[in-house]
């Protein structure tokens, strides 16, 4: 029997999850839940129901894992605990500073309902967190580095679009190669924000807007751009659409650490991602953890978990025996 | 209270484990067990006992986890199941093809004794296996690649030393950069052994040996060298000692996979290691899994496990709360 998946929220991430479910033969997409009028929403999976979120309680017995595809700012802090009272859930809550609080709420709901809630699943938090943990456990004496990009930062692109005179825009976060090389050399450099990443902006101006004024406003924007070397390119709307409509991303997690009786030997552990589609890759991670949630619940476990709490073998459709034979 | 560690076997790996225990303040080295005369063995940790393996049963209540530092060919297939009948154990059994059989024996012994046995811990098998599993779970449609090096292959160095006329030698396995780049580009190339790795040999000749004959014998050795482009350098004993006495290693695990409704997007996951000391890094991994074995046993778990079965949080000395706050 397939693992029956529900999706709540059908934006980029929801569509990514739909595609990822299709790549996993042990799963099926049962329903997509929306806050909009369901009659206006058409999904790719012809066998899946499209339902109003108002009716979601009716699906308690027909869905094994509900995947929450809303945003971390306002949706997930409410939705994940609420849904964990009825379903096994997986979310991609990514506001690092608020994870402990979110964990506590989801844990309370899931302990009460006897369900599993896996939060903060994706690549950062997610695969990057796993790599930080493994590398820290293996090399206790060392330094951690995380670089992001090259990729589109949604938050920084939104910030550009709020500048007066900007019609549309995209921002790429780019790791600085010389900083990466310094880290890989084992020198354990201390790096400022400016030394680690460049910010490159592609901007479409409103008719009559002053490019110099827009450029200065972007470059001096506190938190977002002022602490970085930022370049601004003005391009046409057509060019933005043709060359910058993808959502690529990626990054690097590096730990440089020492071993030996006198810490005389150096080691570099590096994990990197180069992603054509940020939401589709995130969805691949989420769907693997949905499998884990299903299995852990079947075993009688409940409560809130993160990627750090889930044994890797739960993520694979293969048996332990197959995994030992083929992957170990 | 510290986790009390025992070491069985005091070669490169045993010494590496001794150093790694020192880097983990929640552990202490209680005893080193040897098959040799213990009075002839001096260890670096002044507080640790040195004991004959004959007396190991006397330590059942004084050691929490016994780390087995013998070889995979003849030591571990006997030792790990035997010791799992008395202790929580961790080994680095690395004969990939015989893992299922080894697992079954250790599982039987550990289920019976109520102990935990974690086998095949290190970097390959070990950290590389984990990365293969995670990457396969996240990107079900894709290709796996493993490259080793640049590093010293013990098996190939031993093979060189068995050639008539060779006094001493070291072999480096070197991944071919153009093959790595082809994989990273997402082209999913099919690569032969020769296309993936070079083999570079540094050889000290016996007095009067014929270099041409030795070189041909090495280059044409089946399994070890015949399928590779191999270079042989003849050097002096002093030079070998000065420049080639380290045991560096490393490698790359790459998965290239596709997502999207029509598999239109490509993704690259890459994990790499650059290690000054192969045995010391392996020891770092083993000691982290010794912590996991200790905790899993405390929770009442038993039987044989591999890295694929161990939730990441067990590896860290930090609490779940600390991990969520600092690493997630």
């Amino acid at each position: 029997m397939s693992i029956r998946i529900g999706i709540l929220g059908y934006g980029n991430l929801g569509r990514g999850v739909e595609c990822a479910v299709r790549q996993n033969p042990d799963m099926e997409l049962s329903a997509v839940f929306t806050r909009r009028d369901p009659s206006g929403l058409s999904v790719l999976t012809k066998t899946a129901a499209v339902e109003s979120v108002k009716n979601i309680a009716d699906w308690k017995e027909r869905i094994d894992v509900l995947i929450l595809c809303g945003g971390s700012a306002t949706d997930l802090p409410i939705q994940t605990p609420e849904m964990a009272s009825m379903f096994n859930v997986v979310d991609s809550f990514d506001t690092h500073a608020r994870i402990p609080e979110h964990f506590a709420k989801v844990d309370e709901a899931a302990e009460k309902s006897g369900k599993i809630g896996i939060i903060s699943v994706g690549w950062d938090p997610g695969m990057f967190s796993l790599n930080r943990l493994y590398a820290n456990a293996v090399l206790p004496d060392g330094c951690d580095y995380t670089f992001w990009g090259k990729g589109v930062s949604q938050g920084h692109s939104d910030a550009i679009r709020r500048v007066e005179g900007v019609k549309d825009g995209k921002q790429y976060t780019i790791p600085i190669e010389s900083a990466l090389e310094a880290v890989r050399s084992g020198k354990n450099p201390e790096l400022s924000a400016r030394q680690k990443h460049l910010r490159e902006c592609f901007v479409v101006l409103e008719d009559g807007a002053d490019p110099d004024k827009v450029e200065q406003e972007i470059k001096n924007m506190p938190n977002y751009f002022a602490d970085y070397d930022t370049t601004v390119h003005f391009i046409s709307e057509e060019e933005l659409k043709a060359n910058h409509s993808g959502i690529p991303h990626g990054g690097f997690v590096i730990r440089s650490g020492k071993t030996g009786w006198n810490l005389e030997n150096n080691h570099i552990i590096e994990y990197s991602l180069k992603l054509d589609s940020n939401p589709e890759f995130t969805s691949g991670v989420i769907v693997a953890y949905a499998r884990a949630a299903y299995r852990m619940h079947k075993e009688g476990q409940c409560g809130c978990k993160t990627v750090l709490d889930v044994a890797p073998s739960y993520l694979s459709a293969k048996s332990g025996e197959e995994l030992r034979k083929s992957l170990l």
Side-chain angles (χ1 to χ4, degrees), chain A:
Chain A
M1 207 182 89
S2 295
I3 304 172
R4 298 165 302 173
I5 301 289
I7 290 173
L8 173 52
Y10 196 68
N12 282 332
L13 189 61
R15 278 188 292 272
V17 170
E18 182 180 27
C19 295
V21 167
R22 191 192 197 197
Q23 291 186 274
N24 287 280
D26 61 335
M27 300 185 180
E28 59 179 284
L29 180 62
S30 298
V32 174
F33 299 93
T34 176
R35 285 181 293 198
R36 294 178 278 170
D37 175 3
S39 69
L41 181 64
S42 128
V43 301
L44 295 165
T45 308
K46 292 307 156 209
T47 52
V50 180
E51 283 274 352
S52 166
V53 69
K54 290 175 198 154
N55 306 326
I56 200 164
D58 302 343
W59 286 78
K60 273 176 71 170
E61 305 305 322
R62 288 182 279 166
I63 279 176
D64 295 310
V65 186
L66 180 67
I67 296 177
L68 305 175
C69 299
S72 296
T74 55
D75 298 333
L76 299 176
I78 308 293
Q79 279 176 355
T80 313
E82 192 182 325
M83 295 300 156
S85 69
M86 294 184 275
F87 299 96
N88 296 309
V89 295
V90 180
D91 81 15
S92 61
F93 185 79
D94 66 358
T95 312
H96 288 261
R98 297 187 60 196
I99 287 174
E101 176 191 339
H102 188 58
F103 183 93
K105 279 192 210 160
V106 176
D107 195 47
E108 195 190 336
E111 285 283 354
K112 214 166 148 185
S113 65
K115 300 286 184 182
I116 289 276
I118 311 184
I119 63 162
S120 301
V121 178
W123 57 275
D124 194 6
M127 302 311 292
F128 275 18
S129 322
L130 281 174
N131 277 280
R132 284 188 282 262
L133 171 54
Y134 280 118
N136 273 268
V138 167
L139 294 175
D141 289 292
C143 296
D144 287 313
Y145 297 88
T146 302
F147 292 82
W148 293 274
K150 181 183 177 174
V152 173
S153 161
Q154 217 54 59
H156 288 80
S157 298
D158 291 345
I160 292 175
R161 286 187 214 109
R162 287 192 297 263
V163 171
E164 207 189 308
V166 170
K167 190 170 182 186
D168 203 352
K170 273 276 174 87
Q171 193 268 184
Y172 294 91
T173 304
I174 304 171
I176 294 175
E177 195 57 42
S178 60
L180 275 167
E181 285 310 320
V183 169
R184 288 179 184 132
S185 76
K187 284 178 198 152
N188 294 353
E190 284 199 32
L191 297 167
S192 66
R194 190 180 301 275
Q195 288 171 316
K196 288 180 71 184
H197 296 97
L198 296 172
R199 300 203 174 277
E200 189 172 25
C201 308
F202 293 86
V203 174
V204 180
L205 289 172
E206 301 273 14
D207 282 347
D210 175 356
D212 286 346
K213 194 165 161 273
V214 167
E215 182 167 344
Q216 287 314 310
E217 196 169 329
I218 291 173
K219 287 185 169 175
N220 295 314
M221 200 185 295
N223 302 319
Y224 286 93
F225 294 100
D227 298 333
Y228 298 87
D229 290 334
T230 302
T231 53
V232 178
H233 308 279
F234 294 104
I235 61 174
S236 69
E237 203 162 3
E238 295 67 41
E239 209 180 329
L240 189 80
K241 206 177 160 186
N243 302 332
H244 304 285
S245 54
I247 320 176
H249 219 314
F252 303 80
V253 173
I254 304 176
R255 186 162 175 88
S256 162
K258 294 191 177 301
T259 65
W261 194 250
N262 299 305
L263 303 183
E264 62 273 28
N265 286 314
N266 203 64
H267 307 274
I268 304 287
I269 305 175
E270 177 169 343
Y271 179 80
S272 70
L273 297 173
K274 203 172 78 188
L275 313 176
D276 275 0
S277 165
N278 184 351
E280 287 181 8
F281 185 82
T282 300
S283 298
V285 182
I286 288 175
V287 161
Y289 279 92
R291 180 181 290 118
Y294 172 77
R295 291 186 176 173
M296 292 167 88
H297 177 252
K298 275 225 153 179
E299 288 183 6
Q301 298 187 52
C302 66
C304 189
K305 311 285 175 192
T306 75
V307 296
L308 308 179
D309 305 310
V310 177
S313 59
Y314 283 112
L315 304 178
S316 172
K318 293 184 178 173
S319 71
E321 206 174 338
E322 285 175 290
L323 289 175
R324 286 190 291 276
K325 219 169 159 176
S326 65
L327 283 181
L328 195 66

